[in-house]
Amino acid sequence: MTAGSPVVMGGRRMGSESACEVTSLATYNYRVLDRKARVIEGTIEAPSDLMARTRLRQEYASILTLEERQTSEDLRNLGNRRVSDEDLAVAIRQIATMLSAGIPLARALRLIAAGASGSFKDLFTSMSLQVESGVSLSHSMRRHPGAFDDVFIRIVESGEVSGRMDSVLNKLADLQEKSVRLRKKVIANFAYPSVLGVTALATLSVFVFYVLPLMQPIFHSLGVELPLLTRIVLVLANSIRNPWIIGPFFLMLLALTAAGIVVWRTLSRSQEFRYRVHYALLAVPLFGPLVEKSTVARVLFTLSTLLESGVSLGPALAVVEKVAGNEVLSWRMGQARKAMVAGGGVYESLQVSGAFPDMVLQMIRAGEESGNLDTMMRRVSAIYEEEVDLVLSSMATTLEPIILMGMGVVIGFITLASFMPMVKLISEI
């Protein structure tokens, strides 16, 4: 790799700067064209992305690529950085409001950091410093992949290009809040069935570990042969309370679980395996339609947000393809994008790929013909979101009687097994 003269120039200029300023320099890898149209690669040290580009333009005809060099430790820290989706949605909404009020972006980021704590504070402090040094907001977000995905960054880039950052950030906050709402709805709908299940398990545990040990001496003192049902319950209860039996069982279960996790993670690296799993999930009754509807709703809302932010449909499909969350739909979106690149229309490309149900396709066709494709996608997304709510409520309502019935069967079984010896003794008197 050939290092260009800007590296030397950067070294000369830094001679008059303080040691503190030297330590704040970042190293950038660049590919440029010189005055004779030759490609030159090298590195340059500069306090910001903007300063590096300025120096390179002084020496070369054009800049092909310029990327900050990251150390392995930096990459690990960036990858481990996680923030709450709900906190992020609130922060983006606040930044959009401050930009609408005329507050500069760097100051808005500092204000968000001042009111935060922990990793969230570190994230926005880092971003504010980068923006102050001349780095764009989207480029700053790319340095934090654990907090911002491709959709997030692409929407911000569209706002930077169009100059409508406040409007774009409001749409981005809508998208983030929608994801948070859906997750809360799932938790809320399945909270009561989960409580019922835990209650049933607790009741069974009390009976097995406390009630049955008190009744076992009574059974032996009766002097009658215990019924088969009672003997089964006693054997199970004694096995569960015996550490020499339950201990190895739990160790084996733990080993199998660990092996299963390793195997799953290994197989999940294969796109074909993920496709087969997701295809099978879509075929599961009741659960499959829920997954499909929720994925379609999220994809359509994301597409509408990207289109409203100024991103063309082809790149928008490419972004959504990566973050669809379902390999089957992701593959179909990829097929639709390829069909569009080959010259097909929006409706025809999506229809051939089978990316969406017929009702969605007809709505998209109407939106394409009227020139309101983004608005139509948002409306269809709202319809599907309502259907997801109905399916979730239906599943929760269905689970409640099933769990209650299961509780009744288990408790009835144990109660019957406990009183059968007494009934047998009375019948022999």
Side-chain angles (χ1 to χ4, degrees), residues 138-173:
S138 60
H139 187 75
S140 174
M141 287 179 173
R142 288 191 185 279
R143 300 178 182 179
H144 305 278
F148 307 104
D149 58 22
D150 289 341
V151 172
F152 216 106
I153 295 170
R154 181 57 68 94
I155 292 175
V156 171
E157 285 178 342
S158 69
E160 292 171 342
V161 172
S162 64
R164 297 181 292 123
M165 183 63 77
D166 54 345
S167 174
V168 167
L169 287 182
N170 273 318
K171 291 182 173 63
L172 190 54

Side-chain angles (χ1 to χ4, degrees), residues 53-176:
R53 291 181 182 276
T54 301
R55 293 178 180 177
L56 290 173
R57 289 193 182 100
Q58 293 173 357
E59 295 292 323
Y60 296 103
S62 63
I63 301 172
L64 300 178
T65 61
L66 180 66
E67 296 179 351
E68 183 177 355
R69 176 184 292 178
Q70 299 283 353
T71 64
S72 58
E73 182 178 359
D74 290 336
L75 293 175
R76 283 196 300 271
N77 292 335
L78 291 175
N80 292 332
R81 191 185 298 272
R82 294 289 185 270
V83 295
S84 165
D85 289 341
E86 189 171 1
D87 291 341
L88 193 58
V90 173
I92 295 301
R93 181 75 70 189
Q94 290 174 341
I95 293 173
T97 302
M98 285 187 277
L99 291 180
S100 300
I103 298 176
L105 177 59
R107 185 181 176 189
L109 292 171
R110 285 200 308 272
L111 291 173
I112 296 296
S117 60
S119 61
F120 199 74
K121 181 182 182 67
D122 295 338
L123 171 65
F124 278 89
T125 299
S126 172
M127 291 173 59
S128 66
L129 292 174
Q130 292 166 18
V131 171
E132 286 175 349
S133 67
V135 178
S136 66
L137 180 60
S138 60
H139 187 75
S140 174
M141 287 179 173
R142 288 191 185 279
R143 300 178 182 179
H144 305 278
F148 307 104
D149 58 22
D150 289 341
V151 172
F152 216 106
I153 295 170
R154 181 57 68 94
I155 292 175
V156 171
E157 285 178 342
S158 69
E160 292 171 342
V161 172
S162 64
R164 297 181 292 123
M165 183 63 77
D166 54 345
S167 174
V168 167
L169 287 182
N170 273 318
K171 291 182 173 63
L172 190 54
D174 291 338
L175 179 62
Q176 198 74 7

Side-chain angles (χ1 to χ4, degrees), residues 119-333:
S119 61
F120 199 74
K121 181 182 182 67
D122 295 338
L123 171 65
F124 278 89
T125 299
S126 172
M127 291 173 59
S128 66
L129 292 174
Q130 292 166 18
V131 171
E132 286 175 349
S133 67
V135 178
S136 66
L137 180 60
S138 60
H139 187 75
S140 174
M141 287 179 173
R142 288 191 185 279
R143 300 178 182 179
H144 305 278
F148 307 104
D149 58 22
D150 289 341
V151 172
F152 216 106
I153 295 170
R154 181 57 68 94
I155 292 175
V156 171
E157 285 178 342
S158 69
E160 292 171 342
V161 172
S162 64
R164 297 181 292 123
M165 183 63 77
D166 54 345
S167 174
V168 167
L169 287 182
N170 273 318
K171 291 182 173 63
L172 190 54
D174 291 338
L175 179 62
Q176 198 74 7
E177 289 167 358
K178 179 183 175 67
S179 300
V180 173
R181 281 198 307 270
L182 180 60
R183 184 169 60 251
K184 286 185 174 181
K185 287 175 183 176
V186 172
I187 295 174
N189 278 288
F190 289 97
Y192 183 60
S194 300
V195 170
L196 288 179
V198 172
T199 303
L201 184 61
T203 303
L204 182 61
S205 300
V206 169
F207 206 92
V208 169
F209 289 101
Y210 181 74
V211 177
L212 278 181
L214 295 177
M215 299 181 66
Q216 192 168 358
I218 300 175
F219 293 156
H220 290 299
S221 65
L222 293 176
V224 295
E225 183 181 359
L226 297 177
L228 177 61
L229 196 61
T230 306
R231 293 200 301 270
I232 292 174
V233 172
L234 288 176
V235 169
L236 290 176
N238 291 330
S239 299
I240 293 175
R241 295 198 306 269
N242 189 341
W244 295 104
I245 296 178
I246 199 65
F249 173 78
F250 272 114
L251 289 176
M252 183 179 65
L253 184 63
L254 184 62
L256 290 175
T257 302
I261 292 174
V262 172
V263 172
W264 174 263
R265 288 182 176 177
T266 303
L267 293 176
S268 295
R269 296 172 185 171
S270 168
Q271 186 176 7
E272 182 180 358
F273 175 78
R274 295 196 304 271
Y275 182 92
R276 292 179 181 275
V277 171
H278 292 168
Y279 188 85
L281 287 176
L282 292 177
V284 176
L286 192 62
F287 181 75
L290 173 64
V291 173
E292 182 176 10
K293 289 178 186 295
S294 62
T295 304
V296 168
R298 184 176 67 253
V299 166
L300 287 175
F301 192 88
T302 304
L303 277 175
S304 68
T305 303
L306 288 167
L307 294 175
E308 290 173 355
S309 302
V311 181
S312 59
L313 186 57
L317 287 173
V319 173
V320 173
E321 180 184 343
K322 298 177 182 178
V323 297
N326 185 284
E327 288 293 337
V328 177
L329 187 57
S330 177
W331 181 82
R332 292 173 181 173
M333 298 294 289

